[in-house]
Amino acid sequence: MKRPTLKDVAKAASVSTAAVSYVLNGKHEKVSGETLERINNVIKSLNYVPDYSARSLVKNQSRLIGIVIPQTEKHAQLILENPWYSEIISGIEGKLRKYGYHLLLSGVNQGESYLDLLIQRNLDGAIIMGIYPEEFYEGLKKIKIPIVLIDSYINDSYFYRIGIDDEYGGYLATKYLIDRGHTNIGMITGAIRREGVVEKRFLGYKRAIRESNLFYNPDYVFEDSMSYDHGVAAGHRIASAFPEITAVFATADMIAFGLIKSFTDEGIRTPDDISVIGFDDVFMSRMFLPPLTTVRQDIKKKGVIAAERLLSLIGEAGDDDNGQSEDLRETILPLEIVERGTVIRRGNGQSLTETEHGRG
Amino acid sequence: MKRPTLKDVAKAASVSTAAVSYVLNGKHEKVSGETLERINNVIKSLNYVPDYSARSLVKNQSRLIGIVIPQTEKHAQLILENPWYSEIISGIEGKLRKYGYHLLLSGVNQGESYLDLLIQRNLDGAIIMGIYPEEFYEGLKKIKIPIVLIDSYINDSYFYRIGIDDEYGGYLATKYLIDRGHTNIGMITGAIRREGVVEKRFLGYKRAIRESNLFYNPDYVFEDSMSYDHGVAAGHRIASAFPEITAVFATADMIAFGLIKSFTDEGIRTPDDISVIGFDDVFMSRMFLPPLTTVRQDIKKKGVIAAERLLSLIGEAGDDDNGQSEDLRETILPLEIVERGTVIRRGNGQSLTETEHGRG
DNA sequence: TCACCCTTTGAAAACACTTTCATAACAGTA
DNA sequence: TACTGTTATGAAAGTGTTTTCAAAGGGTGA
């Protein structure tokens, strides 16, 4: 009752293993119609399924795609808690499975051992999220495997990248607040790292402020982590130390949720007392109360496109590229502001002349 | 510049491949200290990493664990959007990686092809979430692979199960509302399927009602899907057709969010006008405004335990079981109500005598 | 010095496939 | 009938490991 092998099938159909292999791989031109049918019958009756390990060994490809998710050092746990990742993975998985590829999901801290994994498991490609040390990317290049980077600003034409214009996003959000009469605008954000998305959004924030001839106050940017908790902490800090701030740009929706929560606890109402704009438009942003005004990117689509790009690199023609050969190295997805309930026009009310520089 | 193989290492160290294999697999007793060192040096200098495909082929094990996530038929997309899954996967991944296992994540619809995958890829085990057709489980049993079922009520001692007492959870939630003076209690839920968690929670709901000598009204249970959207729809329906309902039990936090949202849109305040209790305590429940009162289960722990159980089944002693050999086939995790801001005692206020049977 | 035993080593088979290449079979043509 | 060309088939080599088993090596005791 052992699992049948290709050899068993060959014997039962009284053909060579080569013939069986041919039909398994759809090389029908190598096999006559009659034997084809015979072999197929045996396969079915024996319940034969090919062994990927063996196949992988000889073909040197695994039909496995690696997905890399950054992992906090503290918790040694995936950042999956951030719904952003869930959404993008959902997009990736859907596409990949359609083409017979499977997902190898790994949390990665500093890149370290992932390179070995890539080699050991013969991965056919990888989709990488997050920012890692220089050496990681160098290692990636050495292993000659198709790589798609999501939200990375690594300036190396070796890699294929899917992203958004984060600088513009930051600008958009900030400008949106400025246009609504806000002049003291805080920014709450994760770590501003060299060439990371956050840095770009920060740049956009500053550009909007300067362009409008407002004063850029470094004290108004609260940098820590892309987390709910940071939002909470920053919210309390703003409430107690910066009453003049009337609007904040959170560089992630999760941060915005934390902000609003702590504002609420402090008795500051959103948007009546302070406006908040987020970034991402994760699934739950529209569920939040009040629904979050935010800079929307199509997260799931990002995943789908990343998967398509990878497939086409592997040679599976997964790209629904309509002929136009744009520069495939870099795909920038559009951004838009979705207006919901957390931003209000300042000066809309009555008492603002009285307490011009603050919420009171 | 090809990737070095074990054979290359052997040659460079002028030993046989067997010796190299021994040190790779930590069989140090087979290799003298001197050669051990020499081999290790060569491995390092050649940057050698073993090929899992080959190893897998001969050892007939892959160090790969399958994770099965149910998938909606419509969207052919993972249900990852539900943060519940993200959290549990996060728990699983953390544990498994520590032991050198990797995660193969798949969305599965009706079970169909997953059985083949299990065989093809030589998976060492699988963790299965969701409910599938009978044949799927039959197939699972035939392939003799360690399987851990999460939240399943399949009554078959072949499988190892991790879950909670859903009936009790439903009872707990409903009783909590009853104890706070509510008598007309709605239940909003996903599909009540044979032997599913939802059915159990439903049973608990009914038990609590009967036990308190209240009238069980089938019209008060809104069955559709475990989704935010269903919550929204049900909320509107309750607002327009069932003004006498003063509290609802949502069998998933996601549903509760939808409910509260639609109540808000209808001008019904939570908890002042209607109380809502959820189930799960997903990460975002405490972030919600108002923070959601809910039946808490430790989702991440569920994942960790599932992983541990699987590891110990595989023989990796991943179980931190402190000696007691309870019935490992079934692990029931505790449940507790976390009181936050969405349930209020009825009759607490003043006007309730006036409009005794309704919100007004 | 020899026999014996224990440790260390290496040759080779096995794992389940793919693919190349040679051959067999066959029909068609001169 | 012999030759050519085409197609269908199968033998065998190769893929990178693990593991068994036999042999070599080295020490010990007599």
Side-chain angles (χ1 to χ4, degrees):
Chain A
M1 256 304 282
K2 254 195 61 189
R3 168 178 170 194
T5 74
L6 186 147
K7 213 188 276 181
D8 299 330
V9 174
K11 203 178 299 172
S14 44
V15 295
S16 78
T17 61
V20 180
S21 176
Y22 290 146
V23 349
L24 245 33
N25 293 287
K27 309 205 172 173
H28 291 202
E29 72 278 10
K30 305 280 237 161
V31 157
S32 72
E34 199 243 335
T35 39
L36 173 81
E37 196 179 347
R38 183 152 40 100
I39 293 175
N40 269 328
N41 286 338
V42 174
I43 288 180
K44 224 163 276 170
S45 74
L46 250 51
N47 247 318
Y48 168 78
V49 269
D51 182 318
Y52 269 56
S53 303
R55 179 179 284 179
S56 178
L57 178 59
V58 25
K59 302 233 287 192
N60 209 43
Q61 53 126 292
S62 58
R63 298 224 140 223
L64 235 35
I65 303 292
I67 305 284
V68 175
I69 298 186
Q71 171 198 283
T72 54
E73 292 193 46
K74 294 178 212 161
H75 309 82
Q77 212 115 52
L78 296 191
I79 314 216
L80 268 181
E81 265 158 9
N82 190 328
W84 195 93
Y85 289 100
S86 315
E87 292 184 38
I88 201 163
I89 290 176
S90 178
I92 295 171
E93 209 271 349
K95 192 79 193 179
L96 249 31
R97 186 151 34 85
K98 227 179 273 168
Y99 285 82
Y101 285 81
H102 294 119
L103 245 60
L104 199 65
L105 188 67
S106 318
V108 165
N109 191 338
Q110 289 299 301
E112 358 80 4
S113 56
Y114 193 73
L115 297 171
D116 284 353
L117 178 60
L118 236 37
I119 300 179
Q120 287 178 314
R121 295 255 187 220
N122 254 309
L123 299 195
D124 292 345
I127 295 177
I128 306 210
M129 307 187 237
I131 303 182
Y132 303 90
E134 183 74 21
E135 310 89 56
F136 181 58
Y137 297 98
E138 287 309 316
L140 244 27
K141 286 171 71 173
K142 288 212 190 82
I143 313 169
K144 293 186 176 13
I145 283 180
I147 301 281
V148 171
L149 266 26
I150 289 183
D151 286 341
S152 168
Y153 282 93
I154 295 300
N155 197 7
D156 188 322
S157 64
Y158 174 85
F159 297 108
Y160 288 71
R161 295 181 288 133
I162 316 285
I164 54 178
D165 187 339
D166 289 284
E167 199 274 347
Y168 177 65
Y171 176 83
L172 212 56
T174 313
K175 191 70 173 23
Y176 181 83
L177 297 173
I178 294 171
D179 287 350
R180 252 128 278 242
H182 297 277
T183 52
N184 295 322
I185 300 175
M187 167 164 162
I188 325 297
T189 184
I192 300 177
R193 294 208 261 174
R194 39 113 198 157
E195 300 291 299
V197 295
V198 169
E199 186 198 23
K200 303 290 180 189
R201 292 175 197 175
F202 178 46
L203 257 26
Y205 163 81
K206 285 198 289 193
R207 177 160 68 92
I209 287 178
R210 294 236 165 85
E211 234 179 69
S212 307
N213 292 314
L214 295 177
F215 175 62
Y216 163 64
N217 184 343
D219 290 345
Y220 288 177
V221 354
F222 299 77
E223 175 188 359
D224 187 87
S225 70
M226 231 54 164
S227 69
Y228 177 80
D229 290 341
H230 175 42
V232 171
H236 286 304
R237 185 122 179 66
I238 289 173
S240 62
F242 299 93
E244 72 275 20
I245 293 181
T246 61
V248 290
F249 163 38
T251 58
D253 287 351
M254 291 301 276
I255 295 177
F257 300 145
L259 277 170
I260 295 170
K261 161 71 173 165
S262 59
F263 288 152
T264 305
D265 288 350
E266 297 268 3
I268 300 171
R269 292 164 307 160
T270 306
D272 308 74
D273 299 323
I274 194 165
S275 289
V276 174
I277 187 167
F279 203 110
D280 286 341
D281 194 24
V282 297
F283 194 61
M284 79 184 254
S285 294
R286 84 205 57 168
M287 304 181 188
F288 204 73
L289 293 175
L292 187 68
T293 296
T294 189
V295 178
R296 168 171 172 74
Q297 56 168 317
D298 194 332
I299 304 176
K300 190 169 286 182
K301 185 168 184 189
K302 221 175 194 175
V304 172
I305 289 188
E308 286 178 353
R309 184 59 26 86
L310 202 51
L311 285 168
S312 87
L313 286 175
I314 295 173
E316 285 283 346
D319 234 317
D320 289 347
D321 198 300
N322 315 318
Q324 295 89 293
S325 71
E326 339 130 48
D327 182 11
L328 293 171
R329 297 274 148 168
E330 181 167 66
T331 305
I332 305 294
L333 265 32
L335 244 29
E336 73 184 306
I337 289 200
V338 348
E339 305 190 83
R340 289 200 273 246
T342 55
V343 174
I344 210 171
R345 181 175 296 279
R346 184 164 178 268
N348 209 7
Q350 34 286 58
S351 62
L352 268 182
T353 40
E354 198 181 328
T355 62
E356 184 137 25
H357 287 294
R359 295 186 302 273
Chain B
M1 261 298 285
K2 253 194 64 188
R3 167 180 171 193
T5 74
L6 186 148
K7 214 187 276 179
D8 299 329
V9 174
K11 204 178 299 172
S14 43
V15 295
S16 79
T17 61
V20 180
S21 176
Y22 290 145
V23 349
L24 245 34
N25 292 287
K27 311 205 172 174
H28 291 202
E29 72 279 9
K30 305 279 238 160
V31 155
S32 70
E34 199 244 337
T35 41
L36 173 80
E37 196 180 347
R38 182 151 42 98
I39 292 175
N40 269 328
N41 285 338
V42 174
I43 288 180
K44 225 163 275 168
S45 74
L46 250 50
N47 246 318
Y48 167 78
V49 267
D51 183 319
Y52 270 55
S53 303
R55 179 178 285 179
S56 178
L57 178 59
V58 25
K59 303 233 286 192
N60 209 43
Q61 52 124 290
S62 57
R63 299 224 138 222
L64 235 35
I65 302 293
I67 304 285
V68 175
I69 298 186
Q71 172 197 283
T72 54
E73 292 193 46
K74 296 178 209 161
H75 309 83
Q77 212 114 53
L78 297 192
I79 314 216
L80 268 181
E81 265 157 11
N82 190 330
W84 195 93
Y85 289 100
S86 315
E87 292 184 36
I88 200 164
I89 290 176
S90 177
I92 295 172
E93 209 271 348
K95 191 81 194 177
L96 250 30
R97 186 151 35 83
K98 230 179 271 171
Y99 285 82
Y101 285 82
H102 294 119
L103 245 60
L104 199 64
L105 188 67
S106 316
V108 164
N109 193 340
Q110 289 300 301
E112 356 83 4
S113 56
Y114 194 72
L115 297 172
D116 284 354
L117 178 59
L118 236 38
I119 300 179
Q120 287 179 312
R121 295 256 186 218
N122 254 310
L123 299 194
D124 292 345
I127 294 177
I128 306 209
M129 309 187 235
I131 304 182
Y132 304 90
E134 183 74 22
E135 311 89 55
F136 181 58
Y137 297 97
E138 287 308 317
L140 244 26
K141 286 171 71 173
K142 288 213 191 80
I143 314 169
K144 294 187 178 10
I145 283 180
I147 301 279
V148 171
L149 265 25
I150 289 182
D151 285 341
S152 168
Y153 283 92
I154 296 300
N155 197 5
D156 188 321
S157 64
Y158 174 85
F159 298 107
Y160 288 72
R161 296 181 288 133
I162 316 284
I164 52 178
D165 187 340
D166 289 284
E167 199 273 348
Y168 176 65
Y171 175 82
L172 212 56
T174 312
K175 190 73 174 26
Y176 181 83
L177 297 173
I178 293 172
D179 286 350
R180 254 125 277 242
H182 297 277
T183 51
N184 295 322
I185 300 174
M187 166 163 163
I188 325 299
T189 184
I192 300 178
R193 292 207 262 175
R194 40 110 197 160
E195 300 291 297
V197 295
V198 168
E199 187 197 21
K200 302 291 179 188
R201 292 175 196 176
F202 177 46
L203 258 27
Y205 163 81
K206 284 198 290 194
R207 177 159 68 91
I209 287 179
R210 296 235 164 86
E211 236 180 65
S212 308
N213 292 314
L214 295 177
F215 175 62
Y216 163 63
N217 184 346
D219 289 348
Y220 288 176
V221 353
F222 299 79
E223 175 188 0
D224 188 86
S225 70
M226 232 50 166
S227 69
Y228 177 80
D229 290 341
H230 174 42
V232 171
H236 285 304
R237 186 121 177 67
I238 288 173
S240 63
F242 300 92
E244 72 276 18
I245 292 181
T246 60
V248 290
F249 164 38
T251 58
D253 288 351
M254 291 301 277
I255 295 177
F257 300 144
L259 276 169
I260 295 171
K261 161 71 173 165
S262 60
F263 287 152
T264 305
D265 288 350
E266 296 270 1
I268 300 172
R269 291 165 306 157
T270 306
D272 309 75
D273 300 324
I274 194 164
S275 290
V276 175
I277 188 168
F279 203 110
D280 285 342
D281 194 25
V282 297
F283 194 61
M284 78 185 252
S285 294
R286 85 205 57 170
M287 304 182 188
F288 204 72
L289 293 174
L292 187 67
T293 296
T294 189
V295 177
R296 168 171 172 74
Q297 56 168 316
D298 193 334
I299 304 177
K300 188 168 287 181
K301 185 167 183 192
K302 220 175 194 173
V304 171
I305 289 188
E308 285 177 352
R309 185 61 23 87
L310 202 52
L311 284 168
S312 85
L313 286 175
I314 294 173
E316 284 282 349
D319 233 315
D320 290 346
D321 198 300
N322 315 320
Q324 293 89 294
S325 71
E326 339 131 49
D327 182 11
L328 292 170
R329 296 276 149 169
E330 180 166 67
T331 304
I332 305 294
L333 265 33
L335 243 31
E336 72 184 308
I337 289 200
V338 349
E339 304 191 81
R340 290 200 273 246
T342 55
V343 173
I344 210 171
R345 180 174 296 279
R346 187 167 174 263
N348 208 7
Q350 35 287 56
S351 62
L352 269 182
T353 40
E354 197 180 329
T355 62
E356 183 138 26
H357 286 293
R359 296 185 304 269

